[in-house]
Amino acid sequence: SQELEQSPQSLIVQEGKNLTINCTSSKTLYGLYWYKQKYGEGLIFLMMLQKGGEEKSHEKITAKLDEKKQQSSLHITASQPSHAGIYLCGAVSGNTPLVFGKGTRLSVIA
Amino acid sequence: DAGVTQSPTHLIKTRGQQVTLRCSPKSGHDTVSWYQQALGQGPQFIFQYYEEEERQRGNFPDRFSGHQFPNYSSELNVNALLLGDSALYLCASSLRLGYGSPLHFGNGTRLTVT
């Protein structure tokens, strides 16, 4: 079965700083999804990547899927307190259901 | 346009009891998936319903069962509750034919088993 490893597990950054979260898959990724979760709440869809080398941006968040389609990164530029939360990568492989990594907990301090 | 709604938001049950959680999918969606999220972990897939049938199932015991109704809403039932069943239960909806389309999640039901 597919496994996703996220790094780091947690991150504390100062407001205004850039940061990167990584997601590595044990298998080729056919669809990679990034979600954000506020503590104890539901998941909010951020971006979906399907093609090797694909890059998407939304506001100050950029996600990339590497050429070999086994790793993705999420980059936040000039972090703000509103970026705080848990970032989860999810993946599908063929007809499998969406599986998730354990998440990266982000704190942004003033 | 209402998103995915789940009820109740919080629930406290005793070991051995049974619980039913409910989910209404986003308008236009026909597929419902259920996930269990333990504290500090990522969501774990329980099962998926489409056309009122269970289509896929994760590694969960038969104590976990579900149902989908003609209006696409769904229920998750858990029998003989264990302390380890305490978790956030998330419902997600999607469009079956929209392969690759993202799942839309509700805010979850927080289940505490004492």
Side-chain angles (χ1 to χ4, degrees):
Chain A
S1 61
Q2 185 165 37
E3 293 185 359
L4 297 174
E5 184 173 337
Q6 288 188 236
S7 62
Q9 291 183 351
S10 64
L11 197 53
I12 302 174
V13 299
Q14 195 166 19
E15 185 176 356
K17 297 295 185 182
N18 303 336
L19 64 107
T20 299
I21 298 168
N22 294 302
C23 175
T24 302
S25 172
S26 59
K27 295 184 177 180
T28 299
L29 296 164
Y30 290 93
L32 190 287
Y33 302 76
W34 283 101
Y35 285 84
K36 178 185 175 184
Q37 183 179 30
K38 291 188 176 179
Y39 304 113
E41 297 184 5
L43 279 63
I44 299 168
F45 171 71
L46 296 176
M47 277 172 279
M48 177 178 71
L49 304 166
Q50 290 183 300
K51 298 177 183 177
E54 187 174 11
E55 179 176 323
K56 288 187 178 178
S57 295
H58 176 66
E59 298 180 343
K60 294 185 178 181
I61 301 177
T62 300
K64 301 178 184 179
L65 181 61
D66 77 351
E67 290 288 344
K68 294 183 178 179
K69 296 178 64 177
Q70 285 199 271
Q71 188 171 45
S72 178
S73 61
L74 185 82
H75 184 78
I76 298 177
T77 303
S79 58
Q80 302 169 351
S82 61
H83 288 127
I86 300 170
Y87 289 82
L88 292 152
C89 65
V92 293
S93 179
N95 196 32
T96 62
L98 186 61
V99 296
F100 288 93
K102 291 185 176 181
T104 295
R105 185 178 295 256
L106 172 64
S107 301
V108 180
I109 56 175
Chain B
D1 179 22
V4 179
T5 58
Q6 293 186 242
S7 64
T9 54
H10 295 82
L11 205 51
I12 300 175
K13 290 286 188 178
T14 304
R15 276 179 298 175
Q17 287 188 318
Q18 177 264 344
V19 68
T20 297
L21 310 182
R22 295 176 175 82
C23 172
S24 292
K26 178 180 169 66
S27 178
H29 284 182
D30 57 9
T31 301
V32 173
S33 301
W34 286 92
Y35 285 80
Q36 180 196 66
Q37 187 178 26
L39 201 61
Q41 301 296 314
Q44 297 292 314
F45 175 74
I46 303 175
F47 43 53
Q48 182 186 78
Y49 276 84
Y50 171 68
E51 289 187 334
E52 303 179 48
E53 289 188 14
E54 182 182 295
R55 300 293 178 169
Q56 292 181 315
R57 188 178 182 93
N59 189 24
F60 279 80
D62 292 344
R63 298 187 297 109
F64 289 77
S65 63
H67 189 77
Q68 186 180 33
F69 299 94
N71 67 352
Y72 308 119
S73 66
S74 177
E75 288 182 349
L76 164 65
N77 301 292
V78 187
N79 295 322
L81 285 167
L82 303 173
L83 293 179
D85 294 333
S86 296
L88 180 67
Y89 288 85
L90 295 162
C91 171
S93 71
S94 58
L95 189 60
R96 183 73 169 183
L97 294 180
Y99 176 76
S101 63
L103 299 184
H104 292 253
F105 284 82
N107 281 329
T109 294
R110 171 71 63 186
L111 172 65
T112 301
V113 182
T114 63

